[in-house]
Amino acid sequence: MPLSKFRTKEDHLRFSKKQSHAWIEHSPICTKIIDLDFNLQFMSSAGVKTLSMSDVTQYYGKAYPFDFYPQSFRDQMSNNLRKARDTGLVIEQEAKVVDTLGNEVWFHSTISPVSENGDQIDYLMVVSIDATARHTSIRELEQLNDELERKVYSRTLELESANKLLHQQVETDFLTKLPNRLAFDRHISMSITSAKLSKKYLSLLMIDVDNFKTYNDKYGHDVGDLVLASIAESIDNSLLRQTDIAARLGGEEFAILLPGTDVNAGFCIAERIRTNIESLQVWNSDSDMIANMTVSIGVASLKDDELNATHLLKQADKALYLAKHLGRNNSQIYFADVVSKLA
Protein backbone atom coordinates (compact mmCIF):
# COMPACT_ATOMS: atom_id res chain seq x y z
CA MET A 1 0.00 0.00 0.00
CA PRO A 2 1.55 3.35 -1.00
CA LEU A 3 2.42 5.89 1.66
CA SER A 4 -0.17 8.36 0.24
CA LYS A 5 -2.99 6.10 1.48
CA PHE A 6 -1.93 6.72 5.12
CA ARG A 7 -2.95 9.88 6.92
CA THR A 8 0.27 10.19 8.90
CA LYS A 9 3.71 8.64 9.18
CA GLU A 10 2.59 7.20 12.51
CA ASP A 11 -0.21 5.35 10.69
CA HIS A 12 2.35 3.98 8.24
CA LEU A 13 4.63 2.90 11.09
CA ARG A 14 1.78 1.16 12.89
CA PHE A 15 0.82 -0.61 9.66
CA SER A 16 4.41 -1.71 9.07
CA LYS A 17 4.70 -3.08 12.58
CA LYS A 18 1.39 -4.93 12.15
CA GLN A 19 2.59 -6.43 8.86
CA SER A 20 5.92 -7.41 10.42
CA HIS A 21 4.17 -8.99 13.39
CA ALA A 22 1.91 -10.98 11.03
CA TRP A 23 4.91 -12.17 9.02
CA ILE A 24 6.76 -13.21 12.18
CA GLU A 25 3.74 -15.05 13.54
CA HIS A 26 3.24 -17.07 10.35
CA SER A 27 6.91 -17.66 9.63
CA PRO A 28 8.38 -21.17 10.16
CA ILE A 29 11.30 -19.43 11.85
CA CYS A 30 11.17 -19.07 15.62
CA THR A 31 11.64 -15.45 16.68
CA LYS A 32 12.14 -14.34 20.27
CA ILE A 33 12.47 -10.88 21.81
CA ILE A 34 14.72 -10.76 24.87
CA ASP A 35 15.07 -7.63 26.98
CA LEU A 36 18.46 -6.47 28.20
CA ASP A 37 17.91 -8.25 31.53
CA PHE A 38 17.49 -11.46 29.52
CA ASN A 39 13.76 -11.84 30.16
CA LEU A 40 11.51 -13.21 27.40
CA GLN A 41 9.16 -10.60 25.98
CA PHE A 42 7.89 -12.38 22.89
CA MET A 43 8.08 -15.75 21.09
CA SER A 44 6.55 -16.43 17.68
CA SER A 45 4.17 -19.30 17.05
CA ALA A 46 6.87 -21.38 15.31
CA GLY A 47 8.82 -21.59 18.56
CA VAL A 48 5.70 -22.29 20.60
CA LYS A 49 4.82 -25.17 18.29
CA THR A 50 8.34 -26.60 18.15
CA LEU A 51 8.69 -26.56 21.95
CA SER A 52 5.22 -28.14 22.44
CA MET A 53 4.05 -25.22 24.60
CA SER A 54 0.37 -24.81 25.41
CA ASP A 55 0.71 -21.19 26.54
CA VAL A 56 3.87 -19.19 25.98
CA THR A 57 2.56 -16.08 27.74
CA GLN A 58 3.27 -17.68 31.11
CA TYR A 59 6.99 -17.36 30.26
CA TYR A 60 6.83 -13.69 29.30
CA GLY A 61 8.78 -11.50 31.68
CA LYS A 62 10.70 -14.53 32.95
CA ALA A 63 14.35 -15.38 32.53
CA TYR A 64 15.48 -16.86 29.23
CA PRO A 65 16.75 -19.53 28.53
CA PHE A 66 14.03 -21.66 30.10
CA ASP A 67 14.66 -23.91 33.08
CA PHE A 68 13.64 -27.06 31.18
CA TYR A 69 16.50 -26.59 28.71
CA PRO A 70 19.67 -28.62 29.30
CA GLN A 71 22.23 -26.85 31.49
CA SER A 72 24.81 -26.87 28.68
CA PHE A 73 22.43 -24.96 26.40
CA ARG A 74 21.48 -22.50 29.12
CA ASP A 75 25.14 -21.74 29.83
CA GLN A 76 25.98 -21.30 26.15
CA MET A 77 22.93 -19.15 25.34
CA SER A 78 23.38 -16.99 28.47
CA ASN A 79 27.00 -16.30 27.58
CA ASN A 80 26.10 -15.42 23.98
CA LEU A 81 23.19 -13.15 25.03
CA ARG A 82 25.51 -11.28 27.37
CA LYS A 83 28.17 -11.04 24.66
CA ALA A 84 25.66 -9.65 22.11
CA ARG A 85 24.31 -7.11 24.63
CA ASP A 86 27.73 -5.94 25.79
CA THR A 87 29.49 -5.81 22.41
CA GLY A 88 26.67 -5.12 19.97
CA LEU A 89 27.87 -8.02 17.82
CA VAL A 90 25.65 -10.54 16.06
CA ILE A 91 26.30 -13.95 17.61
CA GLU A 92 25.46 -17.37 16.16
CA GLN A 93 25.22 -20.72 17.89
CA GLU A 94 23.84 -24.19 17.23
CA ALA A 95 22.90 -26.35 20.17
CA LYS A 96 20.48 -28.93 21.48
CA VAL A 97 17.47 -28.13 23.66
CA VAL A 98 14.48 -30.16 24.80
CA ASP A 99 10.82 -29.30 24.44
CA THR A 100 8.33 -29.35 27.30
CA LEU A 101 7.75 -33.06 26.68
CA GLY A 102 11.47 -33.86 26.97
CA ASN A 103 12.05 -34.45 23.25
CA GLU A 104 15.41 -33.42 21.76
CA VAL A 105 15.29 -30.38 19.48
CA TRP A 106 18.22 -28.69 17.69
CA PHE A 107 18.21 -24.93 16.96
CA HIS A 108 20.56 -22.80 14.90
CA SER A 109 20.17 -19.37 16.50
CA THR A 110 21.26 -15.88 15.51
CA ILE A 111 21.32 -13.32 18.33
CA SER A 112 21.04 -9.76 17.03
CA PRO A 113 21.17 -6.58 19.13
CA VAL A 114 18.33 -4.25 18.04
CA SER A 115 18.33 -0.46 18.36
CA GLU A 116 15.06 1.41 17.70
CA ASN A 117 16.71 4.86 17.46
CA GLY A 118 20.20 3.82 16.45
CA ASP A 119 22.00 5.20 19.48
CA GLN A 120 21.68 2.33 21.96
CA ILE A 121 20.61 -1.31 22.14
CA ASP A 122 16.97 -1.65 23.15
CA TYR A 123 16.55 -5.42 23.10
CA LEU A 124 17.91 -8.65 21.62
CA MET A 125 16.22 -10.55 18.84
CA VAL A 126 16.91 -14.28 18.71
CA VAL A 127 16.01 -15.92 15.38
CA SER A 128 16.16 -19.73 15.53
CA ILE A 129 15.85 -22.24 12.73
CA ASP A 130 14.82 -25.78 13.64
CA ALA A 131 17.82 -27.93 12.66
CA THR A 132 16.49 -31.14 14.21
CA ALA A 133 15.85 -32.88 10.89
CA ARG A 134 19.38 -32.14 9.71
CA HIS A 135 20.94 -33.40 12.93
CA THR A 136 18.73 -36.49 12.83
CA SER A 137 19.87 -37.15 9.27
CA ILE A 138 23.51 -36.64 10.28
CA ARG A 139 23.10 -39.01 13.24
CA GLU A 140 21.37 -41.61 11.06
CA LEU A 141 24.12 -41.25 8.46
CA GLU A 142 26.77 -41.68 11.16
CA GLN A 143 24.96 -44.77 12.43
CA LEU A 144 24.78 -46.14 8.90
CA ASN A 145 28.49 -45.41 8.42
CA ASP A 146 29.30 -47.12 11.73
CA GLU A 147 27.19 -50.12 10.74
CA LEU A 148 28.85 -50.18 7.31
CA GLU A 149 32.31 -49.98 8.90
CA ARG A 150 31.42 -52.85 11.23
CA LYS A 151 30.18 -54.91 8.30
CA VAL A 152 33.27 -54.07 6.25
CA TYR A 153 35.52 -54.92 9.21
CA SER A 154 33.65 -58.17 9.81
CA ARG A 155 33.77 -59.03 6.12
CA THR A 156 37.49 -58.19 6.00
CA LEU A 157 38.14 -60.55 8.91
CA GLU A 158 36.11 -63.26 7.16
CA LEU A 159 38.07 -62.76 3.94
CA GLU A 160 41.38 -62.76 5.81
CA SER A 161 40.36 -65.96 7.58
CA ALA A 162 39.23 -67.53 4.31
CA ASN A 163 42.45 -66.47 2.57
CA LYS A 164 44.52 -67.82 5.45
CA LEU A 165 42.63 -71.13 5.31
CA LEU A 166 43.02 -71.27 1.53
CA HIS A 167 46.72 -70.50 1.86
CA GLN A 168 47.08 -73.30 4.41
CA GLN A 169 45.20 -75.70 2.16
CA VAL A 170 47.32 -74.78 -0.86
CA GLU A 171 50.53 -75.32 1.12
CA THR A 172 49.47 -78.46 3.01
CA ASP A 173 49.94 -82.03 1.84
CA PHE A 174 46.49 -83.65 1.82
CA LEU A 175 47.74 -87.07 3.01
CA THR A 176 50.31 -86.33 5.71
CA LYS A 177 49.05 -82.84 6.73
CA LEU A 178 52.66 -81.64 6.59
CA PRO A 179 53.66 -78.60 4.54
CA ASN A 180 54.02 -79.54 0.88
CA ARG A 181 56.70 -78.76 -1.70
CA LEU A 182 55.28 -75.28 -2.34
CA ALA A 183 55.49 -74.45 1.37
CA PHE A 184 58.99 -75.95 1.60
CA ASP A 185 60.26 -73.75 -1.23
CA ARG A 186 58.93 -70.69 0.55
CA HIS A 187 60.35 -71.73 3.92
CA ILE A 188 63.81 -72.57 2.61
CA SER A 189 64.07 -69.13 1.03
CA MET A 190 63.00 -67.44 4.27
CA SER A 191 65.30 -69.66 6.35
CA ILE A 192 68.32 -68.87 4.17
CA THR A 193 67.67 -65.14 4.46
CA SER A 194 67.35 -65.41 8.24
CA ALA A 195 70.46 -67.60 8.56
CA LYS A 196 72.57 -65.13 6.60
CA LEU A 197 71.37 -62.23 8.72
CA SER A 198 72.12 -64.12 11.96
CA LYS A 199 75.33 -65.67 10.52
CA LYS A 200 74.22 -69.09 11.76
CA TYR A 201 74.13 -72.53 10.15
CA LEU A 202 71.10 -73.87 8.37
CA SER A 203 70.85 -77.65 8.21
CA LEU A 204 68.73 -79.69 5.82
CA LEU A 205 67.70 -83.32 6.23
CA MET A 206 66.55 -85.26 3.17
CA ILE A 207 64.56 -88.38 4.13
CA ASP A 208 63.50 -91.23 1.90
CA VAL A 209 61.35 -94.20 2.98
CA ASP A 210 63.26 -97.40 2.34
CA ASN A 211 61.72 -99.95 -0.05
CA PHE A 212 58.43 -98.07 -0.13
CA LYS A 213 57.34 -99.78 -3.36
CA THR A 214 57.26 -103.03 -1.38
CA TYR A 215 54.45 -101.77 0.86
CA ASN A 216 52.35 -100.74 -2.10
CA ASP A 217 52.94 -104.03 -3.90
CA LYS A 218 52.35 -106.22 -0.85
CA TYR A 219 49.54 -104.40 0.95
CA GLY A 220 48.07 -102.01 -1.63
CA HIS A 221 48.10 -98.25 -1.95
CA ASP A 222 45.78 -97.70 1.02
CA VAL A 223 48.33 -99.29 3.34
CA GLY A 224 51.08 -97.39 1.53
CA ASP A 225 49.27 -94.16 2.37
CA LEU A 226 48.93 -95.33 5.99
CA VAL A 227 52.69 -95.92 6.14
CA LEU A 228 53.45 -92.45 4.78
CA ALA A 229 51.02 -90.79 7.20
CA SER A 230 52.50 -92.69 10.17
CA ILE A 231 56.07 -91.82 9.19
CA ALA A 232 55.13 -88.17 8.68
CA GLU A 233 53.58 -88.05 12.15
CA SER A 234 56.69 -89.64 13.68
CA ILE A 235 58.94 -87.12 11.91
CA ASP A 236 56.85 -84.20 13.13
CA ASN A 237 56.78 -85.54 16.70
CA SER A 238 60.58 -85.99 16.65
CA LEU A 239 61.15 -82.25 16.17
CA LEU A 240 61.47 -80.39 19.45
CA ARG A 241 61.51 -76.76 18.25
CA GLN A 242 58.75 -74.78 16.59
CA THR A 243 61.32 -73.28 14.22
CA ASP A 244 62.11 -76.73 12.76
CA ILE A 245 60.02 -77.39 9.64
CA ALA A 246 59.18 -80.79 8.19
CA ALA A 247 57.67 -81.07 4.72
CA ARG A 248 56.64 -83.77 2.27
CA LEU A 249 58.37 -83.12 -1.04
CA GLY A 250 56.42 -85.79 -2.89
CA GLY A 251 56.01 -89.54 -3.00
CA GLU A 252 58.00 -91.09 -0.15
CA GLU A 253 60.45 -88.20 0.20
CA PHE A 254 60.51 -85.74 3.09
CA ALA A 255 62.70 -82.78 4.05
CA ILE A 256 63.44 -80.98 7.31
CA LEU A 257 64.81 -77.47 7.75
CA LEU A 258 66.76 -76.90 10.97
CA PRO A 259 67.60 -73.20 11.51
CA GLY A 260 70.62 -72.42 13.71
CA THR A 261 71.79 -76.04 13.57
CA ASP A 262 75.23 -77.24 12.51
CA VAL A 263 75.92 -80.55 10.81
CA ASN A 264 76.67 -82.50 14.01
CA ALA A 265 73.46 -81.37 15.71
CA GLY A 266 71.61 -82.07 12.46
CA PHE A 267 72.99 -85.62 12.42
CA CYS A 268 71.77 -86.19 16.01
CA ILE A 269 68.28 -85.07 15.03
CA ALA A 270 68.40 -87.30 11.95
CA GLU A 271 69.28 -90.33 14.07
CA ARG A 272 66.45 -89.55 16.52
CA ILE A 273 64.01 -89.45 13.63
CA ARG A 274 65.39 -92.63 12.09
CA THR A 275 65.23 -94.68 15.31
CA ASN A 276 61.73 -93.39 16.13
CA ILE A 277 60.49 -94.53 12.72
CA GLU A 278 62.25 -97.88 13.06
CA SER A 279 60.37 -98.53 16.29
CA LEU A 280 56.95 -97.68 14.83
CA GLN A 281 54.21 -100.27 15.04
CA VAL A 282 51.53 -99.67 12.45
CA TRP A 283 48.53 -101.94 11.99
CA ASN A 284 46.64 -102.28 8.72
CA SER A 285 42.93 -102.89 8.29
CA ASP A 286 43.43 -106.67 8.56
CA SER A 287 44.94 -106.27 12.03
CA ASP A 288 48.35 -107.21 10.67
CA MET A 289 51.33 -105.25 11.94
CA ILE A 290 53.40 -103.58 9.25
CA ALA A 291 57.00 -104.13 10.28
CA ASN A 292 60.44 -103.14 9.04
CA MET A 293 59.59 -99.49 8.28
CA THR A 294 62.89 -97.66 7.92
CA VAL A 295 64.21 -94.48 6.34
CA SER A 296 67.50 -93.24 4.97
CA ILE A 297 68.57 -89.70 5.79
CA GLY A 298 71.07 -87.31 4.25
CA VAL A 299 72.37 -84.37 6.32
CA ALA A 300 73.89 -81.12 4.99
CA SER A 301 74.67 -77.83 6.69
CA LEU A 302 75.89 -74.48 5.34
CA LYS A 303 76.32 -70.88 6.50
CA ASP A 304 77.38 -67.42 5.30
CA ASP A 305 78.34 -67.02 1.62
CA GLU A 306 78.29 -70.77 0.93
CA LEU A 307 74.63 -70.96 1.89
CA ASN A 308 72.14 -71.07 -0.96
CA ALA A 309 69.20 -73.31 -1.76
CA THR A 310 70.84 -75.06 -4.72
CA HIS A 311 73.98 -76.10 -2.85
CA LEU A 312 72.12 -77.10 0.29
CA LEU A 313 69.64 -79.29 -1.60
CA LYS A 314 72.36 -80.91 -3.70
CA GLN A 315 74.54 -81.72 -0.70
CA ALA A 316 71.66 -83.17 1.33
CA ASP A 317 70.53 -85.21 -1.68
CA LYS A 318 74.06 -86.58 -2.20
CA ALA A 319 74.28 -87.50 1.49
CA LEU A 320 70.94 -89.31 1.14
CA TYR A 321 72.32 -91.18 -1.87
CA LEU A 322 75.29 -92.22 0.29
CA ALA A 323 72.96 -93.50 3.03
CA LYS A 324 71.07 -95.67 0.55
CA HIS A 325 74.32 -96.85 -1.02
CA LEU A 326 75.52 -98.00 2.43
CA GLY A 327 72.53 -100.27 2.95
CA ARG A 328 69.65 -97.95 3.92
CA ASN A 329 68.26 -97.38 7.42
CA ASN A 330 71.10 -95.00 8.32
CA SER A 331 71.95 -91.31 8.39
CA GLN A 332 74.90 -89.80 6.54
CA ILE A 333 76.55 -86.38 6.58
CA TYR A 334 77.64 -84.77 3.32
CA PHE A 335 81.41 -84.90 2.82
CA ALA A 336 82.64 -83.83 -0.57
CA ASP A 337 85.53 -86.31 -0.72
CA VAL A 338 83.32 -89.31 0.24
CA VAL A 339 80.57 -88.44 -2.22
CA SER A 340 83.05 -87.87 -5.04
CA LYS A 341 84.35 -91.44 -4.68
CA LEU A 342 80.83 -92.79 -5.17
CA ALA A 343 80.10 -90.64 -8.19
Side-chain angles (χ1 to χ4, degrees), residues 117-310:
N117 300 317
D119 56 347
Q120 64 179 11
I121 298 172
D122 295 301
Y123 56 87
L124 301 172
M125 179 179 288
V126 181
V127 178
S128 301
I129 300 175
D130 187 349
T132 306
R134 179 167 62 85
H135 277 271
T136 300
S137 298
I138 292 173
R139 186 165 56 247
E140 290 175 350
L141 181 60
E142 289 174 346
Q143 291 173 348
L144 288 174
N145 284 336
D146 289 342
E147 183 179 355
L148 179 60
E149 287 180 0
R150 287 193 297 270
K151 288 183 177 180
V152 169
Y153 178 71
S154 176
R155 183 58 177 160
T156 300
L157 290 180
E158 290 176 1
L159 288 174
E160 288 178 352
S161 178
N163 286 333
K164 184 177 180 180
L165 178 61
L166 179 60
H167 182 75
Q168 290 175 342
Q169 290 175 342
V170 168
E171 290 197 348
T172 300
D173 178 62
F174 74 96
L175 174 63
T176 63
K177 309 308 177 186
L178 291 179
N180 59 17
R181 181 59 186 256
L182 181 64
F184 173 78
D185 290 341
R186 180 171 62 85
H187 281 297
I188 193 172
S189 177
M190 294 171 57
S191 298
I192 288 174
T193 300
S194 179
K196 286 187 174 181
L197 288 173
S198 63
K199 301 186 181 301
K200 293 182 179 180
Y201 278 100
L202 174 64
S203 289
L204 173 64
L205 310 185
M206 295 290 285
I207 304 174
D208 191 79
V209 180
D210 296 329
N211 302 311
F212 179 71
K213 186 176 182 298
T214 303
Y215 298 105
N216 284 332
D217 293 342
K218 182 177 180 180
Y219 299 105
H221 288 283
D222 289 342
V223 173
D225 289 347
L226 178 62
V227 169
L228 289 176
S230 300
I231 289 175
E233 183 178 11
S234 180
I235 291 172
D236 198 39
N237 291 337
S238 299
L239 301 178
L240 305 180
R241 303 181 305 176
Q242 291 185 345
T243 54
D244 298 338
I245 299 168
R248 183 190 180 194
L249 301 186
E252 64 270 26
E253 192 172 35
F254 299 87
I256 299 174
L257 288 167
L258 303 171
T261 306
D262 62 20
V263 71
N264 293 320
F267 179 80
C268 292
I269 295 172
E271 280 297 283
R272 180 168 67 239
I273 291 171
R274 187 187 63 78
T275 55
N276 286 344
I277 292 173
E278 190 177 23
S279 63
L280 278 177
Q281 293 183 347
V282 179
W283 300 83
N284 66 16
S285 57
D286 297 326
S287 298
D288 294 329
M289 188 177 74
I290 304 170
N292 301 320
M293 287 188 296
T294 62
V295 293
S296 299
I297 305 177
V299 183
S301 185
L302 291 173
K303 66 180 296 189
D304 298 332
D305 293 338
E306 295 181 348
L307 177 56
N308 63 68
T310 301

